[in-house]
């Protein structure tokens, strides 16, 4: 039984607390009790005190993912609650939100309660269900939002499908605001994307694949922002992928519309050219766009027009991807590789380290109303120990997710989560760290 965790001489970084210093951090009974130079000097040595030598390492607030597909119930061969939470912990996530496009769809209190109970029993990263906006995600009848919220849902989305009807969207925004739940939209005008396989552009023409034009996202975002303004409700755009969405969000925010947005690591890193060669690993919805979209998304994350990064972790089986492009399932995994990939963009100067940390901690917490992980005395200890120098290669065999579907396999990255701590408990530990600590 461990009573205390001690991180000695670690670089603790929490932009919100104005903290970036080499300090000792002491965790006792689930909370951070001391932060400061030599703060650990009078902690007695004991079998019940776990000491981490933090030299050269960083201590960061634990990460929050607004957008993960855990696939349970119904698609447990792709992922289940247990495997998703293990992947999340290995990626440094202390909270993840689970999208409802399962089988059956999470449009009910029963499924929401099931997910909450199963995740609690697993006892690691915490899981927060997102309930469906409409029954069966069919876009017609609203779900029992109060029931979903009471059972533990922190937001509502028909992700994977767009709420196409303006009337349904209007009612959804009005009802959800009574329960202070954000409406999370998958913005895709399905009439414009029927049969689409990838972004509409020169690559789709060359490959002979039907294209998904940017405007199919932009028209929905424009309409939704008008509805959000009209209803004064909270609207969150899932996986923004276009320059047009950025422009619309910027304008809406400047006029005080209560809109927020997320962007995925893959939309910040890849373009439609990565699909050349019929790369099914790069088939994703919304599709990978063009360099100027990527540039706009990076700038929007940097200046806060886009609030946060969300993984859209979408595990699929081998045969879902090892097939003809038009039969392949869209999606990529992301939980275990998000942080090092995004640190790469910080190192390239795309956005600052403090903006990155905010976009994976405080910003998503605010959107779904979770307490933000912080590094300050008395805060609940939800932390990650991170080695900024560790170099490793992303390999399928080492991934805890059942899904191995990522185009980043084989990519060399720098930076590794060594340990993840939830309410003072070490829920994940990389093997090297285990060997190096006492
Ligand atoms: O690529 C995607 N995959 N986009 C979605 O919206 C859904 C997700 C999935 O569930 O696989």
């Amino acid at each position: 039984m461990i009573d205390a965790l001690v991180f000695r001489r670690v670089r603790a970084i929490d932009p919100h607390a104005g903290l970036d210093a080499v300090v000792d951090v002491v965790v006792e009974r689930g909370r951070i009790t001391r932060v400061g130079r030599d703060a650990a000097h009078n902690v007695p040595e004991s079998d019940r005190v776990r000491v981490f030598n933090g030299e050269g390492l960083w201590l960061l607030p634990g990460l929050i993912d607004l957008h993960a597909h855990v696939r349970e119930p119904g698609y447990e061969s792709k992922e289940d609650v247990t495997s998703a939470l293990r992947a999340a912990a290995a990626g440094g996530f202390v909270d993840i939100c689970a999208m409802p496009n399962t089988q059956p769809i999470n449009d009910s209190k029963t499924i929401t309660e099931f997910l909450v109970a199963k995740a609690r029993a697993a006892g690691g990263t915490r899981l927060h269900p997102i309930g469906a906006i409409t029954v069966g995600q069919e876009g017609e009848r609203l779900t029992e939002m109060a029931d979903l919220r009471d059972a533990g849902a922190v937001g509502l989305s028909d992700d994977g499908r767009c709420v196409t009807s303006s009337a349904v969207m209007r009612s959804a925004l009005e009802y959800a605001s009574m329960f202070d739940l954000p409406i999370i939209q998958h913005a895709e005008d399905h009439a414009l994307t029927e049969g689409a396989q990838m972004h509409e552009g020169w690559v789709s023409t060359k490959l002979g694949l039907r294209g998904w034009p940017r405007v199919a996202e932009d028209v929905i975002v424009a309409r939704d922002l008008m509805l959000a303004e009209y209803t004064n409700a909270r609207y969150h755009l899932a996986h923004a992928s276009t320059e047009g969405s950025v422009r619309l969000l910027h304008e809406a925010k400047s006029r005080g519309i209560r809109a927020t947005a997320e962007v995925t690591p893959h939309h910040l890193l890849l373009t439609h050219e990565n699909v050349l060669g019929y790369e099914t690993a790069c088939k994703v919805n919304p599709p990978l766009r063009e360099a100027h979209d990527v540039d706009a998304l990076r700038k929007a994350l940097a200046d806060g027009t886009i609030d946060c990064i969300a993984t859209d972790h979408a595990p699929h089986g081998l045969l879902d991807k090892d097939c003809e492009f038009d039969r392949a399932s869209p999606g990529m995994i992301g939980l275990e590789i998000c942080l090092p990939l995004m640190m790469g963009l910080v190192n390239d100067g795309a956005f600052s380290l403090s903006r990155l940390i905010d976009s994976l901690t405080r910003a998503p917490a605010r959107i779904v109303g979770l307490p933000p992980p912080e590094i300050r005395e008395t805060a609940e200890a939800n932390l990650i120990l991170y080695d900024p120098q560790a170099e490793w290669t992303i390999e399928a065999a080492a991934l805890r997710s059942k899904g191995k579907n990522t185009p980043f396999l084989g990519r060399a990255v720098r930076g590794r989560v060594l340990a993840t701590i939830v309410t003072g408990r070490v829920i994940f530990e990389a093997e090297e760290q285990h060997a190096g600590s006492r």
Side-chain angles (χ1 to χ4, degrees), residues 67 69 71 78 99 101 158-161 186 188 239 266 283-286 312-316 321 329-332 405:
H67 194 139
H69 296 274
R71 303 294 191 216
K78 294 178 192 249
M99 281 296 174
N101 60 337
D158 276 0
D159 185 58
R161 301 277 311 161
H186 171 117
E188 171 179 358
H239 41 53
H266 44 273
K283 180 171 177 179
V284 65
N285 191 9
D312 198 0
H313 176 80
H316 290 294
K321 288 290 191 180
S329 304
M332 304 179 185
N405 51 303

Side-chain angles (χ1 to χ4, degrees), residues 41-286:
H41 77 278
N42 58 359
V43 176
E45 287 217 3
S46 133
D47 289 350
R48 298 169 75 119
V49 177
R50 179 78 196 277
V51 180
F52 294 83
N53 175 6
E55 265 165 288
L57 305 182
W58 295 357
L59 194 69
L60 305 172
L63 312 182
I64 299 182
D65 189 11
L66 282 190
H67 194 139
H69 296 274
V70 307
R71 303 294 191 216
E72 190 173 353
Y75 303 109
E76 291 84 352
S77 65
K78 294 178 192 249
E79 193 80 291
D80 59 32
V81 168
T82 312
S83 61
L85 294 182
R86 284 178 59 217
F93 288 92
V94 296
D95 295 279
I96 63 168
C97 300
M99 281 296 174
N101 60 337
T102 47
Q103 177 57 26
I105 282 162
N106 183 10
D107 57 7
S108 72
K109 188 177 168 160
T110 324
I111 297 172
T112 304
E113 282 173 347
F114 161 76
L115 289 169
V116 168
K118 182 138 193 212
R120 269 207 194 123
T125 292
R126 296 163 297 197
L127 180 149
H128 309 277
I130 306 275
I133 297 172
T134 64
V135 175
Q137 293 191 314
E138 283 171 359
E140 288 164 13
R141 279 186 304 127
L142 296 185
T143 50
E144 296 289 350
M145 295 177 178
D147 280 359
L148 289 167
R149 184 212 43 198
D150 292 348
V154 295
L156 299 163
S157 181
D158 276 0
D159 185 58
R161 301 277 311 161
C162 180
V163 178
T164 309
S165 156
S166 303
V168 172
M169 192 53 159
R170 174 204 173 159
S171 304
L173 286 162
E174 283 173 344
Y175 278 94
S177 65
M178 294 201 292
F179 311 112
D180 200 28
L181 290 171
I183 288 287
I184 303 171
Q185 173 74 300
H186 171 117
E188 171 179 358
D189 185 334
H190 294 293
L192 287 168
T193 62
E194 225 182 299
Q197 300 297 323
M198 64 172 300
H199 171 67
E200 182 177 280
W202 71 265
V203 178
S204 64
T205 305
K206 186 175 161 83
L207 296 181
L209 294 171
R210 192 180 290 247
W212 191 143
R214 291 186 186 83
V215 71
E217 176 167 313
D218 300 349
V219 289
I220 296 294
V221 175
R223 178 208 67 178
D224 286 353
L225 291 170
M226 288 179 178
L227 290 171
E229 180 170 31
Y230 187 66
T231 56
N232 193 27
R234 284 205 294 138
Y235 174 79
H236 179 75
L237 174 61
H239 41 53
S241 76
T242 67
E243 189 177 6
S245 284
V246 167
R247 205 168 37 239
L248 290 160
L249 281 164
H250 188 268
E251 198 255 350
K253 284 188 163 191
S254 70
R255 292 198 303 110
I257 296 174
R258 299 168 74 204
T260 53
E262 68 191 34
V263 62
T264 70
H266 44 273
H267 289 107
L268 289 169
L269 286 166
L270 303 172
T271 70
H272 66 156
E273 292 176 45
N274 293 93
V275 180
L276 281 166
Y278 298 94
E279 292 299 338
T280 57
C282 290
K283 180 171 177 179
V284 65
N285 191 9

